[in-house]
Amino acid sequence: MKITVVIPTYNTGHRLYDLFDSIRAQTLGFENIEVIFVDDNSSDDLTLDILDKLNTFDNVSVVKLKENSGFPGRGRNIGLGMAQGEFVIFSDHDDTYNEDAFEKMYEEMVFNDSDMVVANFNQVNKGKINHFNSGIKERITIESFKDDLDIFQIPAAIWTRMFRKEFLTSNDIFFLEGMLCEDVYVATLANFKAKNIVYLPNTYAYNYSIRDSEGDRSTIHLRNRKYIEAILDGYFEICKWLDENYPEYGKNIFKKHLTSWIYTIVLSEISDEDRFELFKRAQIIFKKYYREDPYFKGKYNKLVKYILNGDFDQAVAESREIAKNQDNMNHRKGLFKRIKNKFSR
């Protein structure tokens, strides 16, 4: 097989068909693709039934875990260990690939003798498709991360990255288990260790589905204490690795992530006590590696100052104030949209 696709699943349901159909339709040829599903002990009979049906294909393998691990890292590691393809890519279970994605990335891998090729992705929200803007418009082709530090500003989205399998295993690059940011961890280590890295900003290979309705939310919208802390757990593991290897690049790595983490807390409904404890626990990483992300236009400067100074009660109050202003802004936008729609009929 040329490529192995590793897909951790959990109560995915009918969306598995959409993902699988997009893999079968690849212009590279489905006969050149190995698919490995690793199910995290789904309780949904529909998911398990679909996996049994897909397991009838010769180039499809299904592993069903007996205990739920709670996060995708374990399934991805199991799939990586089983992979027979020269190259490997890791997909989420509820998205799709564009039909020429694997062919374009594979050709770049072979032509450049790359350890990693990174494509771009679309954001799909309520049927509307938007090209993600990474802020980097030009193609990047480098021998080492030192050739272009912009490589650290590319999203860590693991599903847009194709790796040489031998590169990952020989460098002991595996996913974190029992926490989130397992993809950021792998992307970070790969950025530092890979030779011949290619970034294709104009190749939109993946369609990332954003869902935020009751009972049907993407992981990015699961803003509870468990998931926010699981992200922080991942940050600590990345921080530990950076401290031992490349501490001088920590601010490059965390520039976008720490502000995004704050954004998640601000929009969450977790208690003031949870906010206090999370801000307190995160302080050490903020002191080491926080760097303002201009994208947020200084919105969180006061909140970050409170975290850095250890004024966690003030940090909680400021996070609530930002959330209130955000709610008011969203209300005004919604009202304006309704008025506009009314008069455009």
Side-chain angles (χ1 to χ4, degrees):
M1 295 296 173
K2 294 178 178 178
I3 295 172
T4 296
V5 190
V6 176
I7 308 164
T9 63
Y10 180 71
N11 289 352
T12 316
H14 64 86
R15 289 191 183 85
L16 267 182
Y17 281 131
D18 295 333
L19 170 59
F20 187 69
D21 286 346
S22 77
I23 294 173
R24 288 188 69 189
Q26 289 298 304
T27 55
L28 182 70
F30 184 58
E31 68 277 7
N32 297 309
I33 302 169
E34 176 188 37
V35 183
I36 300 176
F37 293 101
V38 184
D39 186 73
D40 200 16
N41 196 236
S42 284
S43 58
D44 170 29
D45 289 338
L46 176 60
T47 299
L48 298 175
D49 181 58
I50 292 172
L51 288 172
D52 288 340
K53 291 177 180 176
L54 298 181
N55 200 23
T56 59
F57 289 86
D58 291 339
N59 52 342
V60 174
S61 299
V62 174
V63 177
K64 295 179 180 178
L65 303 183
K66 294 182 179 180
E67 295 182 0
N68 177 259
S69 70
F71 301 97
R74 185 182 178 196
R76 286 175 172 157
N77 285 335
I78 290 172
L80 175 59
M82 294 172 57
Q84 298 297 309
E86 181 180 3
F87 306 114
V88 61
I89 194 165
F90 302 89
S91 177
D92 278 354
H93 58 164
D94 50 359
D95 300 320
T96 62
Y97 284 98
N98 288 334
E99 64 180 13
D100 59 352
F102 291 177
E103 182 178 16
K104 287 184 175 180
M105 297 174 78
Y106 175 81
E107 288 176 350
E108 293 286 350
M109 291 289 292
V110 173
F111 181 79
N112 295 285
D113 193 25
S114 298
D115 286 333
M116 178 174 63
V117 167
V118 188
N120 211 333
F121 64 96
N122 297 312
Q123 293 174 310
V124 183
N125 191 354
K126 297 180 181 178
K128 186 177 181 180
I129 299 176
N130 292 310
H131 288 338
F132 179 81
N133 180 10
S134 67
I136 302 172
K137 297 181 180 180
E138 301 297 325
R139 172 192 173 103
I140 295 176
T141 306
I142 53 178
E143 293 291 321
S144 162
F145 73 92
K146 294 180 180 179
D147 297 336
D148 191 340
L149 295 184
D150 277 347
I151 200 72
F152 294 123
Q153 302 312 311
I154 299 169
I158 205 68
W159 12 265
T160 62
R161 294 173 181 253
M162 184 175 289
F163 302 94
R164 188 179 300 277
K165 182 194 172 181
E166 194 273 335
F167 158 71
L168 292 178
T169 55
S170 64
N171 284 282
D172 292 322
I173 300 177
F174 297 98
F175 291 89
L176 300 173
E177 298 186 15
M179 63 190 75
L180 289 175
C181 284
E182 78 295 336
D183 51 352
V184 180
Y185 182 83
V186 167
T188 298
L189 269 62
N191 281 338
F192 281 111
K193 295 188 176 187
K195 295 179 181 178
N196 293 316
I197 304 172
V198 177
Y199 174 53
L200 308 170
N202 297 314
T203 297
Y204 293 88
Y206 193 79
N207 300 304
Y208 174 57
S209 177
I210 300 174
R211 305 183 313 282
D212 192 18
S213 59
E214 190 65 33
D216 185 25
R217 288 193 168 96
S218 308
T219 301
I220 193 174
H221 286 126
L222 293 174
R223 302 185 184 106
N224 55 39
R225 169 73 184 258
K226 173 186 174 182
Y227 280 87
I228 295 172
E229 190 151 37
I231 293 171
L232 191 58
D233 290 339
Y235 286 169
F236 272 105
E237 291 299 317
I238 296 166
C239 192
K240 178 181 177 182
W241 188 88
L242 288 171
D243 288 348
E244 295 173 353
N245 295 278
Y246 294 100
E248 66 271 30
Y249 296 101
K251 290 186 176 181
N252 298 84
I253 302 301
F254 280 108
K255 178 181 176 182
K256 295 182 182 295
H257 294 296
L258 290 179
T259 313
S260 296
W261 183 76
I262 290 177
Y263 173 79
T264 301
I265 289 183
V266 165
L267 294 183
S268 75
E269 297 181 0
I270 63 174
S271 68
D272 287 351
E273 181 181 358
D274 284 341
R275 290 171 186 249
F276 184 99
E277 292 175 359
L278 288 167
F279 288 146
K280 183 177 181 179
R281 187 173 173 224
Q283 183 193 38
I284 186 172
I285 299 181
F286 276 81
K287 282 188 171 182
K288 281 184 178 181
Y289 292 136
Y290 178 77
R291 177 181 172 190
E292 184 180 348
D293 183 352
Y295 175 81
F296 289 92
K297 300 178 181 179
K299 181 188 296 186
Y300 301 120
N301 285 355
K302 187 185 293 188
L303 174 53
V304 171
K305 182 179 179 181
Y306 289 140
I307 294 172
L308 293 174
N309 292 337
D311 298 328
F312 303 118
D313 284 320
Q314 292 281 6
V316 170
E318 176 65 14
S319 71
R320 289 295 189 188
E321 185 64 24
I322 296 172
K324 184 171 67 175
N325 292 336
Q326 183 69 41
D327 286 341
N328 290 336
M329 184 184 302
N330 290 341
H331 175 73
R332 289 195 298 271
K333 286 182 178 178
L335 180 62
F336 175 77
K337 185 175 181 180
R338 288 194 294 272
I339 293 173
K340 182 180 178 182
N341 289 340
K342 179 179 179 180
F343 287 99
S344 63
R345 289 173 184 170

